[in-house]
Amino acid sequence: MDFDGLFPLDRPGGVRTASPAGAESGLTRATADSPLPVRMRPAGIDELVGQRHLLAPGAPLRQLVTGTTPMSVILWGPPGTGKTTIAHLVAAATDRTFVAMSALTAGVKDVRAVIDTARRERRAGGSPTVLFIDEVHRFSKTQQDSLLAAVEDRTVTLLAATTENPYFSVISPLLSRCVLLTLQALDEDDVRHLIRRAVTDERGLGGAVTLAAEAEDHLVRLAGGDVRKALTALEAAAASATAQGSTEIDLATAEKAVDVAAVRYDRDGDAHYDVTSAFIKSMRGSDPDAALHWLARMLVAGEDPRFIARRIVIFASEDVGMADPQALLVATAAAQAVQSVGLPEAQLNLAQAVVHLATAAKSNTVTTAISAAIADVRAGRGGPVPPHLRDAHYPGSRGLGHGKGYRYPHDDPRGVVRQQYVPDDLIGADYYTPTDHGAERAVAERLPRLRRIVRGSGGSAGPAGGARSPGASGSAGAPPPVPPGASPVGAPGTSPAVAPGSAGTSPEVPEGDDSGAAAGEDQP
């Protein structure tokens, strides 16, 4: 098994030891039949392209390569940015013993064996040891724990590489013992420079072919900042041109070599969360074009369409809410279409939903309302259910006072009555505050009138039902006297009051109506 063309992993556990100064017995040197990306690895740090923010004099990357200061380092960056190349430079340029290990195949036993050997060498006055671990995020917590003591006392100098966000994938104690170097994807100029070098350099194609400008642009664009992908495609295109008896790589030949752009997206990695975040924020920011780009990015990368649909459904309530109640229907319909139709056709349903949500009026009042309500509940606010709201359908419940004084809103001509619906210590709590965006404007106009009626003309409800009417039972929640000219709820000619969910039983009939209908108060 070859370790990315750099270290042959021919020992159990995928471990390979290089002698000091990168001796020939320890490293796999590039040969004429090595892949082009391997042949074009920089011979020294000054040939390294990109990562300018890490290459200044005295910068950690230079110190790492030259061995000026022993420090453990975690290299974090997307594929093709030079993590393995840096490991190659460290192995070749220092007088330290270099050990390469793959997190895909090595275990705790292998890690401990390397550490024990390094400790013996150190005590005997031998060369210090650099331990390179590729894909370190694939190590379990236990495997990472096994490195802590050796990194702490510099028994080994750790050089670890990862494509995953180390703040999520590397344990905090190990991260705190290392210098984190973030490698950026190469820009187009850097990729173009390396392609041109590979065409002319004797280590590469040695000028055997030329590269048309259109073909070069195509390779640069579709590489997506991954120089390994660019050089691999260049080698394939050169082989194709040679097989056709041509010495020029034209656009058609380059297109055959690579026809799909490198998409920076990992369904289980950091890019997954970054792209998803950009997708949500673009819809929230009312930019349908950007939202469609991020949607396309996820679809091309093979994201599970059910995940996308779930995010759209959540967004419909979280960020659109009552400003466009139809948004939730559109989102759930798209989610259903994903289930019943599937890709590729369901991408049209997802796109329609995305455009609808991105262009819809926005309101997060539903989100803030439920968050405030949950915060109160977790803080211990909210007493027992008021007696008149309790379940009164089972035998014996009436004797406990359940439902006593409950007022059935449908028996009022306006469909709303004064009544306490919250526990005593939440009277007057306003969780939902509508905006004037879209359809929510009408709700914003209606809600204050509803609250005045439900809570009383003062805007804040007192005890449920207010003052007791003469002869009424003494239960809390009995209604106040009937205003002059008002008809009592449940009077002759009114329909029977049946509480929702009460299995056909009628609620307590209140003795009066204090909703203010006859006194000319607000109509909902």
Side-chain angles (χ1 to χ4, degrees):
M1 176 180 178
D2 187 70
F3 188 68
D4 195 22
L6 178 58
F7 306 110
L9 302 182
D10 51 9
R11 288 178 53 187
V15 179
R16 176 68 180 182
T17 302
S19 303
E24 191 169 338
S25 60
L27 289 174
T28 300
R29 291 184 176 273
T31 61
D33 60 349
S34 294
L36 183 59
V38 174
R39 303 202 307 271
M40 290 305 300
R41 290 195 191 280
I45 192 170
D46 292 329
E47 285 191 10
L48 193 63
V49 175
Q51 318 312 330
R52 299 175 184 86
H53 61 298
L54 300 177
L55 291 174
L61 184 54
R62 282 192 177 273
Q63 295 184 49
L64 171 67
V65 172
T66 61
T68 304
T69 303
M71 64 176 70
S72 291
V73 171
I74 295 177
L75 301 173
W76 170 34
T81 54
K83 296 184 296 297
T84 306
T85 293
I86 292 170
H88 176 90
L89 294 175
V90 172
T94 70
D95 59 354
R96 294 169 289 182
T97 299
F98 190 91
V99 181
M101 181 177 293
S102 171
L104 293 171
T105 54
V108 172
K109 180 180 178 181
D110 302 299
V111 172
R112 289 175 177 166
V114 172
I115 292 172
D116 289 343
T117 301
R119 185 174 288 113
R120 288 194 300 270
E121 288 287 329
R122 183 180 181 185
R123 289 173 180 172
S127 302
T129 299
V130 176
L131 173 58
F132 175 61
I133 302 178
D134 195 32
E135 302 291 334
V136 69
H137 60 272
R138 296 185 181 274
F139 263 176
S140 67
K141 182 178 182 298
T142 300
Q143 290 170 309
Q144 294 184 37
D145 281 337
S146 67
L147 293 164
L148 294 178
V151 173
E152 177 77 26
D153 63 12
R154 287 184 176 169
T155 297
V156 298
T157 298
L158 177 65
L159 175 58
T162 178
T163 57
E164 303 293 331
N165 190 331
Y167 291 104
F168 298 131
S169 60
V170 177
I171 60 174
S172 296
L174 182 58
L175 194 59
S176 68
R177 289 165 169 80
C178 300
V179 175
L180 176 62
L181 299 183
T182 304
L183 278 62
Q184 306 292 343
L186 275 65
D187 60 28
E188 290 192 354
D189 289 340
D190 290 334
V191 175
R192 191 182 305 276
H193 174 76
L194 290 171
I195 288 176
R196 291 176 178 177
R197 179 194 291 177
V199 170
T200 59
D201 197 295
E202 290 301 323
R203 293 174 297 171
L205 302 180
V209 294
T210 58
L211 184 62
E214 297 86 354
E216 181 184 276
D217 291 340
H218 182 72
L219 294 178
V220 169
R221 183 177 65 256
L222 294 190
D226 185 339
V227 68
R228 184 185 294 114
K229 182 178 180 67
L231 294 180
T232 299
L234 173 62
E235 185 175 31
S240 178
T242 301
Q244 298 173 38
S246 174
T247 59
E248 182 187 47
I249 302 173
D250 57 15
L251 178 59
T253 304
E255 287 177 336
K256 292 176 182 177
V258 53
D259 60 355
V260 178
V263 179
R264 292 292 180 206
Y265 192 86
D266 182 347
R267 285 176 55 181
D268 298 319
D270 196 44
H272 163 86
Y273 299 103
D274 288 343
V275 171
T276 303
S277 176
F279 174 59
I280 296 299
K281 288 172 181 172
S282 298
M283 288 194 294
R284 182 181 297 138
S286 301
D287 189 336
D289 305 298
L292 286 171
H293 166 78
W294 298 117
L295 171 64
R297 189 95 152 244
M298 290 188 283
L299 291 172
V300 171
E303 178 60 83
D304 186 344
R306 295 171 299 177
F307 167 80
I308 303 173
R310 287 194 297 270
R311 296 307 311 171
I312 291 173
V313 171
I314 294 168
F315 181 90
S317 293
E318 182 179 26
D319 287 285
V320 177
M322 292 296 292
D324 182 358
Q326 292 295 317
L328 181 57
L329 301 182
V330 171
T332 53
Q336 181 60 38
V338 167
Q339 294 284 357
S340 58
V341 176
L343 291 178
E345 292 85 355
Q347 66 189 19
L348 301 175
N349 310 114
L350 291 172
Q352 179 180 345
V354 166
V355 170
H356 185 114
L357 269 61
T359 57
K362 305 296 191 300
S363 172
N364 72 337
T365 53
V366 170
T367 302
T368 57
I370 188 59
S371 297
I374 289 173
D376 272 353
V377 170
R378 288 176 173 167
R381 297 191 67 192
V385 177
H388 60 286
L389 298 182
R390 296 181 185 178
D391 183 12
H393 80 279
Y394 62 89
S397 61
R398 296 300 181 90
L400 298 174
H402 292 191
K404 187 73 172 180
Y406 172 68
R407 313 191 64 210
Y408 192 53
H410 295 294
D411 285 333
D412 186 278
R414 299 170 304 171
V416 59
V417 298
R418 182 180 183 188
Q419 187 160 237
Q420 177 182 331
Y421 292 103
V422 295
D424 291 342
D425 60 347
L426 289 177
I427 289 175
D430 292 347
Y431 295 124
Y432 176 54
T433 305
T435 68
D436 61 352
H437 302 166
E440 199 169 29
R441 181 183 297 111
V443 180
E445 295 172 354
R446 185 167 67 251
L447 183 59
R449 299 197 297 270
L450 291 172
R451 282 175 173 160
R452 282 196 294 270
I453 295 172
V454 172
R455 299 176 180 180
S457 58
S460 178
R468 295 191 303 274
S469 61
S473 67
S475 65
V482 179
S487 300
V489 179
T494 62
S495 60
V498 180
S502 60
T505 60
S506 298
E508 285 292 315
V509 179
E511 295 156 334
D513 182 358
D514 70 341
S515 63
E521 288 188 9
D522 291 321
Q523 299 296 309

